[in-house]
Amino acid sequence: MPQPPPLDLRTQQRVEAYLEADTRYSVAPIPTPVEPATAVAVVLPRITRAGSAETIRRVARMVIFHDLAATTGAWDRMLAGGEADPHTVAKSAWSVAALAWLGDQERRQRAAKAFGDLLLRADPERSHPDITEAALALGGDEQLQAMRTWLERRAAELEAQSKKPDPSRPPAAAQHLSVRADQLQQIVGMDIPGWKRTFATRAKAAALPPVPRAAKLAALYCETDEESDTPLVWWSACTLIRLPWKVDQDGKRAPDPELRTAIAEAFLAIARAHEREDPDNQEEIDLTRQRALHAAVFFGGVPTEQERLWLYKRPERGVDLLVLRPDFQYPAAHDHGATGATGHDH
């Protein structure tokens, strides 16, 4: 029986540090790069219903970002139902999100059904952020409509409770119930229409030929496209990672160097369009340039020496997604003095 390949020690250490990082005072970005087989070996034992919700969130984001499809079976087993509190709801919601990105059509359908079942048990006030991530990953209008119904039902219940006569209840308690109802209605009235626009932009981008799609995704990621929003930054980054691959004549996935070059060039073009001075908006301009240069390097682009020096001097904030950070120092548990990267690899 063939022996599995040895683990890549740097990937193992980096992934474990990411999963265990203390994020109360520092960020813990998804590790990049990783050796896929090693990353899968590290995270698979952690994809269990006994794991913490925070661990499942971090694992899900990492495997989605790096397209680690070898974990789909573990995520499928997470959907056993019976969620009884926000922690178990969160774990199931992120399992749905992982299957939406990584699964085949059958598993995506199972994830969509699990999403609908989850709404029967989840508390909208406590679980809507995790439920939102699942809905955004599935990307269907039916999920948004189900969320709308779920939120409106709870808002109506709270409003009815606030108006129910109760002489023993102080007036402030009734007002608090009404405020909670309003907060849910704000999600219905503002966020859900925004997510519908997000889905429309995603569909528009996906319909473009590969090279124009790369340019559109790069602009969405850098937020230089007028249609960009926070969910689209994440979606475009994950989509760009999957774009420069094709299926060869033997049915195996193979890199597409021409498309990878087109992606890098799209980011370099954005960076160079932001190589300017504007005292009123300099930090915003520089942040966009930094994000674009990071992404260009991520996809194999070659900045000029001047661009490399400029990027080297910029602080590593740990918030960009498409960036190579092999030397990032994750803050250990209860280590409140960690500051992030110790070096630059641009």
Side-chain angles (χ1 to χ4, degrees):
M1 185 174 180
Q3 294 294 315
L7 295 182
D8 176 72
L9 184 58
R10 291 196 72 190
T11 289
Q12 181 180 358
Q13 292 173 336
R14 200 178 300 128
V15 172
E16 288 176 347
Y18 159 72
L19 295 176
E20 296 164 6
D22 185 341
T23 59
R24 286 177 293 177
Y25 302 96
S26 303
V27 295
I30 295 168
T32 55
V34 298
E35 192 282 306
T38 298
V40 169
V42 173
V43 301
L44 272 178
R46 291 172 164 86
I47 307 174
T48 69
R49 289 172 67 84
S52 72
E54 178 57 27
T55 294
I56 294 301
R57 288 186 188 100
R58 291 192 199 186
V59 171
R61 284 179 63 80
M62 194 192 81
V63 302
I64 290 169
F65 182 79
H66 284 295
D67 197 19
L68 301 180
T71 62
T72 51
W75 295 113
D76 207 12
R77 291 189 290 274
M78 291 284 286
L79 300 179
E83 299 84 0
D85 58 70
H87 300 289
T88 52
V89 167
K91 289 185 274 189
S92 292
W94 279 97
S95 300
V96 167
L99 288 172
W101 275 100
L102 305 173
D104 55 18
Q105 183 176 2
E106 181 179 348
R107 280 188 163 132
R108 280 182 56 85
Q109 289 174 346
R110 173 166 160 75
K113 182 181 184 305
F115 176 87
D117 294 343
L118 202 54
L119 296 185
L120 300 176
R121 295 182 287 276
D123 177 356
E125 292 183 90
R126 302 175 70 185
S127 294
H128 72 82
D130 295 304
I131 293 291
T132 295
E133 295 294 340
L136 290 173
L138 288 166
D141 286 341
E142 61 270 32
Q143 279 82 41
L144 293 186
Q145 183 55 48
M147 274 193 72
R148 176 190 291 273
T149 301
W150 176 63
L151 292 162
E152 287 180 332
R153 182 185 300 118
R154 180 57 178 157
E157 290 172 356
L158 291 169
E159 198 62 51
Q161 290 176 30
S162 74
K163 294 177 179 176
K164 187 175 181 180
D166 185 352
S168 65
R169 181 176 62 190
Q175 185 179 7
H176 179 60
L177 289 168
S178 185
V179 168
R180 287 164 57 190
D182 287 344
Q183 289 172 337
L184 294 177
Q185 288 291 3
Q186 283 183 357
I187 299 172
V188 171
M190 298 178 65
D191 293 348
I192 288 182
W195 297 330
K196 287 180 72 71
R197 290 191 295 272
T198 294
F199 289 176
T201 301
R202 282 162 50 164
K204 211 163 31 173
L208 293 171
V211 172
R213 191 188 321 160
K216 176 74 170 179
L217 292 170
L220 290 171
Y221 172 73
C222 289
E223 298 182 88
T224 57
D225 189 297
E226 62 180 11
E227 294 183 297
S228 187
D229 58 24
T230 299
L232 282 168
V233 172
W234 168 254
W235 177 83
S236 57
C238 295
T239 304
L240 280 162
I241 285 175
R242 291 155 171 78
L243 191 59
W245 296 89
K246 57 186 177 182
V247 178
D248 63 18
Q249 59 185 10
D250 297 323
K252 296 180 180 179
R253 201 171 78 147
D256 186 335
E258 291 184 5
L259 193 48
R260 186 177 176 87
T261 298
I263 295 171
E265 289 179 349
F267 280 118
L268 286 173
I270 293 172
R272 287 160 188 168
H274 289 77
E275 188 179 341
R276 64 181 191 272
E277 294 185 4
D278 182 347
D280 293 333
N281 299 290
Q282 194 63 52
E283 184 59 18
E284 183 178 349
I285 290 169
D286 287 349
L287 288 173
T288 300
R289 184 186 180 198
Q290 181 179 13
R291 178 181 285 189
L293 285 173
H294 273 154
V297 173
F298 186 93
F299 285 102
V302 182
T304 66
E305 186 62 21
Q306 183 181 12
E307 289 168 335
R308 286 174 61 86
L309 287 172
W310 180 88
L311 190 56
Y312 181 85
K313 294 175 183 177
R314 293 284 298 177
E316 163 65 276
R317 300 173 300 139
V319 296
D320 289 343
L321 294 162
L322 300 173
V323 51
L324 300 177
R325 47 170 70 91
D327 296 323
F328 192 89
Q329 297 296 306
Y330 290 92
H334 310 301
D335 180 4
H336 302 156
T339 57
T342 59
H344 300 258
D345 285 82
H346 307 311

